[in-house]
Amino acid sequence: MNRRGARSSSSSSPSSPSEPQQASPQEPLETSYRRWLRLFPRDWRRRREEEVLAVLLDAAAEGQQRATSAERADLLRAAAGARATAGARAARRAPGRTAGLVVLVVGTTLALLPATTASTVGPEALAAGLPRQLPGYSYATESVSSSPPGTALALYQQGYGVEFADFPQAVVVGAGGSVRRLDLAEGRGEGAQGDPGAMLLSPDGTRVAVGRYDAERADVAIQDLRTGEVVRSRVLGSGAVLPVAWSPDGRQLVALVLAAGFNPYGGDGGPPAGTPVVLNADGSAGPALAGAPELVEAAEWTPDGRSLLLTDEAGVVTKLGAAAPEDGSAGAPAAAPWTLPFPAGPNAWSPDGALLATSGTCPYRGSDVIPPRAPGEGITVPATGLVLVPTGGAASPAPHCLPDGRGYMAFLGWAGARTVVVAVSADTEGTETDPVPIIAVNVDTGERTRLSAIPTSGNFAVSRLQVPSAVLAGSLQRPGAAPTTAWDHGRGDLALRIAAVAALAGGVALAVAAAAAAGRSAAARLRASSSRASNGSSTGRDPGTT
Amino acid sequence: MPRTGLQEPSFLVLTALAAGPLHGYAILKDVETTSCGSVRLGVGTLYGALERLAERGLVEVASEEVVDSRLRRSYRLTEDGAGVLAAEASRRQQQSAAALARLGRRGALGWTS
């Protein structure tokens, strides 16, 4: 350590914390820490701030730019403690005046104090699968950043569009029963009409990657759901950056960098095309993708994690051998390009790689009874739905098809080699479902198993549902066996809590003012009536006495 | 008269200082090392403990210096502090011994007494 300029003074000397030099501009990390140290009482800051700041900076990770959520929680708690101590001292000096202040401080601290971090839940909890029902929309849900939910069973959006008090939420359901709003995604919703930003849950449920739909300096932020910690990639472009595929081991992520902003409601048809980049889970740059098409519309890892399949705008798939993350070497083309239909989601490949789930038009087969739109139309209408395409080439059997009629089925992933999982938000008649069932379908037998459901209350549509495949597999083993937990929504949204405290404080102030006014007017009435009484008695007495 | 009964962070901080004066960051590192990485004190928690311990006269400032134009204070154990730490440590030892002995009698961990 560099000890230039060190000087010592004895412990008995009251001398002074040196003035910190302000010559060089403050680093962002120091600025961030100083902001959190402002929470402490003035007296404490005079004695401690410079010293504690130095320790915080020493303890910070290399390259850290802001106080981590763990540090923020720790400082908040310590500040509350310091204020309580300072309050106790003040109360001894001036008991009357401090009592009111204490009420306010305690209220505010309670409102602002983050709940304790959710207990960490290991990967084994994922195998227990989904509970019979997942949580519905709630206004009072705390954020991931202020109280991390732990490893996630599911991530989804509830609600579309901002209306009066309703707004779309990105909801993370932790394996330990914690429900939290993914504030990182909700804060990156620019260009998405109030929707959360582009978000992708890692296959082990421990992280979420959130891109940008439209930002000058577009990057990918990755939040660890166990700690709340966020890491950011370098700026990847100006416009949109969309995370599209986590590697099966969760160590790497493919994102598409678009040349311009992307409006998910643009409706110009077709998925967006962008330049694929690989990021590591810590936000650092992954290996370069040599041999990748310049613009791709979809990226899929093969289930073994060894290859990356990139679909270009013409539907041609390029297969790249994944580079070992350690050596940082480039991936190499592993096979000649071939064409496949567009994958239905980030986990479209069946675990054994034999089938690829795609969204498409089901070819009519006798066994697929397509419900009639009108009498007589039933047989001739080709249904949209989930088409499960064999990947083995021309020799493979015909695709399996799950028609959804006029309904809407979202592909979630695979619960086994031959079992696909969908969420049905509108049934074959086109009627919206409530709750939205999550259903496993055996592609050979057509057997359906209901795994779970999400209530919509008729108003909060469920979309962008993501469930780790380990959870899907566990659910299929024991459908509905995981107990429906009493969901822990935390202490609620910070803004709501501040509003509630402000309303309470305002109410108290109003009550005090009203009481004072009432007191004054009562006194005035008393004075008036007593003077009236004395007048009255004097005038009244006159006639009686005369 | 020093009170007995220490919160966990205070106990860890006193333990760290038992080896000699340390500054804040060194205390954090020492706690992490002696607990084999299982305990990481937050900086706020550390200073909450130091404030309480200083108020009770169990630790005191040993030196102040400026390193890289940042203030660094070192702390040391007072005699009272050493006494409280010793009392707390033997209390914990007795409790642990009692727990282990009972577990041994029940054979819960397959031990023989």
Side-chain angles (χ1 to χ4, degrees):
Chain A
M1 170 146 292
N2 182 359
R3 286 181 166 265
R4 261 182 309 146
R7 69 177 163 83
S8 292
S9 62
S10 95
S11 63
S12 57
S13 144
S15 87
S16 71
S18 50
E19 309 301 274
Q21 92 304 358
Q22 298 290 343
S24 63
Q26 277 185 9
E27 293 297 313
L29 183 60
E30 176 172 345
T31 312
S32 170
Y33 283 144
R34 283 197 189 275
R35 193 174 302 141
W36 286 92
L37 290 172
R38 269 188 236 143
L39 294 166
F40 286 85
R42 191 175 306 160
D43 175 54
W44 186 98
R45 290 177 62 192
R46 197 171 39 71
R47 283 182 290 121
R48 293 281 185 203
E49 178 160 336
E50 296 308 320
E51 179 189 2
V52 172
L53 177 72
V55 176
L56 283 166
L57 289 170
D58 276 344
E62 190 76 23
Q64 188 179 329
Q65 296 284 299
R66 288 172 57 190
T68 65
S69 58
E71 287 169 342
R72 297 199 300 260
D74 172 64
L75 290 174
L76 259 173
R77 255 180 246 123
R83 285 195 177 273
T85 313
R89 279 200 206 102
R92 279 197 293 276
R93 286 196 304 271
R97 201 184 48 163
T98 23
L101 272 176
V102 166
V103 170
L104 206 72
V105 167
V106 168
T108 313
T109 308
L110 279 180
L112 295 179
L113 203 66
T116 46
T117 306
S119 58
T120 32
V121 177
E124 67 282 355
L126 298 187
L130 292 168
R132 205 159 297 140
Q133 186 141 312
L134 286 161
Y137 193 90
S138 165
Y139 293 103
T141 302
E142 194 167 0
S143 69
V144 167
S145 296
S146 68
S147 172
T151 306
L153 290 179
L155 166 68
Y156 47 97
Q157 175 180 340
Q158 284 181 313
Y160 283 120
V162 180
E163 278 175 49
F164 188 51
D166 302 346
F167 49 90
Q169 295 185 353
V171 180
V172 177
V173 181
S178 297
V179 185
R180 297 291 183 266
R181 282 171 52 194
L182 186 62
D183 49 331
L184 180 68
E186 292 180 5
R188 289 180 158 232
E190 66 287 302
Q193 299 178 21
D195 277 7
M199 55 192 188
L200 193 66
L201 183 63
S202 72
D204 61 359
T206 61
R207 290 184 176 84
V208 180
V210 184
R212 290 279 194 188
Y213 283 125
D214 197 353
E216 191 86 357
R217 298 163 56 76
D219 60 359
V220 174
I222 299 171
Q223 185 159 37
D224 190 320
L225 297 172
R226 297 161 299 183
T227 64
E229 214 146 314
V230 176
V231 293
R232 289 178 176 76
S233 73
R234 66 188 167 84
V235 172
L236 297 166
S238 177
V241 175
L242 310 175
V244 289
W246 281 99
S247 62
D249 62 6
R251 292 168 68 183
Q252 291 183 313
L253 171 76
V254 178
L256 298 185
V257 181
L258 277 60
F262 170 65
N263 178 357
Y265 298 103
D268 57 348
T275 311
V277 294
V278 179
L279 299 171
N280 297 320
D282 64 1
S284 61
L289 290 170
E294 201 163 319
L295 289 176
V296 311
E297 290 189 342
E300 292 274 325
W301 297 83
T302 51
D304 61 10
R306 292 231 180 114
S307 311
L308 187 61
L309 303 161
L310 301 168
T311 309
D312 71 8
E313 290 170 289
V316 176
V317 179
T318 305
K319 183 176 186 176
L320 299 181
E326 293 82 16
D327 63 15
S329 63
W338 84 103
T339 57
L340 276 175
F342 198 73
N347 313 306
W349 286 78
S350 65
D352 59 3
L355 292 172
L356 176 68
T358 78
S359 294
T361 307
C362 288
Y364 175 71
R365 290 193 315 193
S367 60
D368 296 329
V369 179
I370 301 165
R373 285 167 189 245
E377 280 186 9
I379 298 169
T380 54
V381 181
T384 60
L386 198 61
V387 185
L388 308 166
V389 184
T391 56
S396 55
H400 297 265
C401 190
L402 300 174
D404 61 3
R406 282 175 292 166
Y408 182 72
M409 234 163 36
F411 168 77
L412 289 187
W414 295 84
R418 308 296 291 176
T419 306
V420 71
V421 183
V422 295
V424 181
S425 50
D427 66 15
T428 51
E429 301 297 318
T431 311
E432 284 183 11
T433 50
D434 178 22
V436 172
I438 297 171
I439 296 172
V441 184
N442 184 303
V443 298
D444 300 315
T445 63
E447 184 192 345
R448 292 168 180 238
T449 313
R450 185 178 167 126
L451 302 182
S452 184
I454 309 176
T456 70
S457 313
N459 197 23
F460 303 105
V462 175
S463 56
R464 301 162 77 183
L465 175 59
Q466 300 168 35
V467 180
S469 43
V471 177
L472 295 178
S475 292
L476 185 64
Q477 298 288 310
R478 294 174 295 273
T484 297
T485 335
W487 300 111
D488 151 34
H489 285 265
R491 289 167 187 260
D493 182 59
L494 181 68
L496 282 177
R497 279 187 279 152
I498 291 171
V501 169
L504 189 72
V508 169
L510 279 177
V512 169
R520 274 197 303 277
S521 67
R525 268 200 306 279
L526 208 64
R527 279 196 301 277
S529 66
S530 66
S531 70
R532 240 197 334 272
S534 60
N535 287 344
S537 61
S538 63
T539 51
R541 203 186 304 135
D542 285 343
T545 47
T546 30
Chain B
M1 182 64 203
R3 281 174 292 167
T4 49
L6 285 174
Q7 290 179 354
E8 194 65 22
S10 300
F11 180 69
L12 295 168
V13 170
L14 289 183
T15 305
L17 292 178
L22 292 173
H23 57 80
Y25 182 60
I27 297 175
L28 291 183
K29 283 283 135 199
D30 188 86
V31 166
E32 203 177 321
T33 316
T34 50
S35 70
C36 302
S38 68
V39 177
R40 281 192 185 182
L41 286 186
V43 177
T45 309
L46 167 68
Y47 277 92
L50 279 175
E51 289 257 302
R52 281 194 300 279
L53 292 171
E55 197 150 298
R56 287 171 62 180
L58 305 184
V59 302
E60 64 187 9
V61 175
S63 69
E64 275 182 1
E65 57 180 355
V66 174
V67 179
D68 288 345
S69 66
R70 300 224 178 261
L71 175 70
R72 172 181 285 178
R73 256 187 213 125
S74 293
Y75 299 83
R76 67 173 163 235
L77 224 52
T78 62
E79 267 178 44
D80 277 356
V84 166
L85 178 62
E88 178 71 10
S90 59
R91 188 184 67 81
R92 288 178 182 230
Q93 194 174 32
Q94 281 165 15
Q95 276 184 348
S96 305
L100 290 174
R102 287 181 189 182
L103 286 171
R105 261 204 295 284
R106 282 176 41 203
L109 296 177
W111 296 348
T112 51
S113 50

